[in-house]
Amino acid sequence: MARKQFQTLSEPMFYILLCLTEPLHGYAVMQRIEELTAGRVAVGPGTLYALVSRFEKEGIVSRIPSDEGKKVYCITEKGKQLLDDELDRLKNMINDSSSVLRG
Amino acid sequence: MKTLKKKRFTQEAYEYKQIEGKLEQMAAKGWMLVEIKNNTWYFEKIEPKQLQFNISFHGEEGIFDYPQGDEKKSLRELCEESGWIFAAENMIYQVFYSEKNSEIQPIYTDDQVTFPIMEKIIKRNQLIMLGMIFIFLFHVMRDLSNYHILKDVLKRPSAELPWSFLAVISILILLAFSEYWLSKNWQNIRVGRPMFFYTQTQIWIRNTLSYGLVGLYMFNTLSKLFDYPENIKLTVSILVILGIQIVVLRWVILNFKRVKRSKNKNIAIYIGSGVLLWIVGVFVIFNLIVSGIS
């Protein structure tokens, strides 16, 4: 189910998963995405919350205990695999387009 | 001077952009949203301000679900951390605001994420509307069959067919608007276009048509009471019984939802209570008729 649903990741999905390779709470994910992309990708709190909930339901991220009283999430092995696959897909696209456009 | 204003908004989830716009207009006129109770929105007098409003949905929670208070709280905290200020909430969404033109992220930044949330809420409402259509169609069929169980007692003619149809058409209009919104946006999302929203005029047309027809239906139903004044006592008794049933059912729903149970158990409890109340109601009404209250 998760494989089909998240076969290709949208930009917000990709960056959320990328940020969650280290344990972070919601707002920290938003800040980290902004930092990583120099403001190019913006993820609003509602969008982030909905995506993380879907990821959690599919076992792509999991909640980890935190002393701060905030919900802290981290990517699971399944999520890492998804991210790796997406990275391969993107690399292939870059290689294909480079060979066509730049010889 | 009046410091509190009440306003009734229709609350179709797909109208949230219009609602945000209306709230901005109200704030610019010096009225700030402070509470939403049932369908009534409460505004407090403030200095006119240029504010922007955003709505966030916690619509994952249905009538049969245990209230996800924790989820709602987390979403609210996240929005507040992002700079949004909480104004009010209802069963479907929370309303936030911030200074206009502040560099704050909108609550939803990706239509591909927003659409499935809206779809779920709208589909649930459509299911309720289909249920209502079924009830009214039953009413139409009953009239069509020219057999009225109360006919002899109430001395009512069975010529109610056009009026019941008005209620059906009214619900069909609401259904058509929500279905068009869904299909239009399903296409938009597929081709990467921004989401479509009805204009205020289109919403006004929908409401006028739909609620106008319901108004006509209600007017006709009530006017029948005055055509046959001898029935008023019985009709009022039936309405009182219906009122009591609604209050009891609401109490059951609110109180049973305080305990965490599976959705299926909740459905069984609510339907069971509803059927039980209906049987008791029919029994009481039947006894009233037999005892000749009309």
Side-chain angles (χ1 to χ4, degrees):
Chain A
M1 178 67 190
R3 171 60 50 202
K4 202 179 172 189
Q5 193 182 2
F6 301 111
Q7 214 156 25
T8 57
L9 298 177
S10 65
E11 233 176 357
M13 284 176 179
F14 182 81
Y15 280 105
I16 290 169
L17 289 182
L18 195 62
C19 291
L20 288 178
T21 46
E22 57 175 318
L24 289 175
H25 60 81
Y27 186 56
V29 174
M30 285 171 66
Q31 286 176 312
R32 186 87 182 98
I33 293 174
E34 206 171 335
E35 208 177 276
L36 261 175
T37 65
R40 187 179 59 82
V41 177
V43 180
T47 299
L48 176 76
Y49 197 83
L51 283 176
V52 171
S53 301
R54 268 165 68 188
F55 288 151
E56 195 186 3
K57 223 176 255 178
E58 297 291 343
I60 294 166
V61 301
S62 64
R63 206 184 298 179
I64 57 168
S66 144
D67 301 331
E68 293 175 71
K70 285 180 179 175
K71 286 182 180 170
V72 174
Y73 294 91
C74 194
I75 196 164
T76 60
E77 281 307 313
K78 191 179 173 183
K80 275 183 192 157
Q81 187 58 51
L82 202 69
L83 204 55
D84 275 345
D85 290 351
E86 182 66 9
L87 201 60
D88 288 341
R89 194 182 69 86
L90 293 173
K91 274 182 191 165
N92 287 338
M93 279 173 71
I94 291 169
N95 290 339
D96 295 344
S97 49
S98 296
S99 65
V100 171
L101 295 170
R102 294 174 187 166
Chain B
M1 194 181 77
K2 208 173 158 189
T3 55
L4 194 72
K5 193 181 222 176
K6 284 192 222 172
K7 217 170 161 66
R8 286 184 82 83
F9 284 162
T10 54
Q11 292 184 65
E12 292 290 348
Y14 60 79
E15 283 171 52
Y16 73 97
K17 281 286 162 204
Q18 283 90 349
I19 293 173
E20 288 171 359
K22 276 184 196 169
L23 294 174
E24 283 177 26
Q25 287 169 8
M26 295 286 286
K29 286 178 190 164
W31 291 101
M32 179 68 196
L33 173 71
V34 286
E35 195 185 2
I36 309 169
K37 226 176 186 177
N38 299 322
N39 281 346
T40 311
W41 296 50
Y42 294 86
F43 295 85
E44 231 170 52
K45 190 79 191 143
I46 54 159
E47 282 294 310
K49 274 185 189 167
Q50 294 298 316
L51 299 175
Q52 57 179 345
F53 284 81
N54 256 211
I55 282 173
S56 80
F57 292 90
H58 47 80
E60 298 289 314
E61 182 189 307
I63 190 169
F64 297 119
D65 296 315
Y66 177 76
Q68 305 291 316
D70 188 36
E71 302 296 312
K72 255 197 262 185
K73 199 172 141 233
S74 303
L75 178 57
R76 178 175 165 177
E77 277 172 5
L78 188 56
C79 292
E80 285 176 334
E81 272 183 304
S82 314
W84 290 98
I85 303 162
F86 177 80
E89 67 177 358
N90 66 6
M91 265 182 76
I92 313 167
Y93 45 69
Q94 295 175 328
V95 183
F96 294 89
Y97 68 94
S98 76
E99 295 290 328
K100 209 164 195 167
N101 304 321
S102 60
E103 286 187 7
I104 192 169
Q105 291 293 353
I107 289 180
Y108 290 106
T109 47
D110 186 352
D111 287 348
Q112 281 190 14
V113 175
T114 319
F115 181 69
I117 300 173
M118 308 300 305
E119 191 182 23
K120 198 169 177 181
I121 298 169
I122 293 168
K123 291 268 178 205
R124 204 159 48 207
N125 283 351
Q126 286 184 332
L127 203 66
I128 295 169
M129 284 193 264
L130 282 173
M132 285 167 70
I133 285 186
F134 186 75
I135 292 168
F136 280 113
L137 277 179
F138 175 77
H139 192 79
V140 171
M141 295 303 286
R142 186 200 61 186
D143 291 340
L144 262 179
S145 68
N146 204 21
Y147 173 74
H148 199 304
I149 197 162
L150 300 175
K151 191 172 147 191
D152 297 333
V153 184
L154 298 176
K155 299 175 187 66
R156 281 166 58 175
S158 55
E160 291 176 8
L161 180 61
W163 302 103
S164 305
F165 261 121
L166 288 184
V168 174
I169 294 166
S170 160
I171 301 168
L172 282 176
I173 290 170
L174 294 177
L175 261 176
F177 267 78
S178 63
E179 195 49 44
Y180 179 75
W181 190 90
L182 279 179
S183 57
K184 177 94 181 156
N185 279 318
W186 188 76
Q187 287 167 10
N188 283 0
I189 298 295
R190 267 168 62 105
V191 295
R193 274 201 295 259
M195 283 218 289
F196 153 84
F197 290 97
Y198 289 116
T199 61
Q200 299 229 359
T201 315
Q202 287 165 331
I203 294 290
W204 182 84
I205 291 170
R206 183 205 65 189
N207 289 349
T208 310
L209 278 173
S210 178
Y211 298 127
L213 289 174
V214 169
L216 269 175
Y217 173 71
M218 298 289 283
F219 177 77
N220 175 264
T221 309
L222 286 174
S223 68
K224 279 184 184 144
L225 280 179
F226 297 99
D227 287 346
Y228 303 94
E230 67 273 17
N231 296 335
I232 287 181
K233 215 170 163 184
L234 178 63
T235 312
V236 169
S237 308
I238 292 172
L239 288 177
V240 168
I241 291 166
L242 279 175
I244 293 170
Q245 284 178 326
I246 290 167
V247 170
V248 174
L249 198 59
R250 191 181 152 84
W251 182 87
V252 169
I253 288 172
L254 290 177
N255 283 278
F256 276 75
K257 276 181 91 168
R258 288 189 187 148
V259 182
K260 202 163 190 167
R261 282 193 205 88
S262 75
K263 194 173 183 169
N264 286 345
K265 267 191 184 167
N266 277 341
I267 291 175
I269 288 169
Y270 300 155
I271 291 180
S273 316
V275 169
L276 196 68
L277 279 169
W278 180 74
I279 292 170
V280 172
V282 167
F283 178 77
V284 174
I285 291 167
F286 183 75
N287 275 293
L288 284 175
I289 292 169
V290 170
S291 65
I293 191 169
S294 66

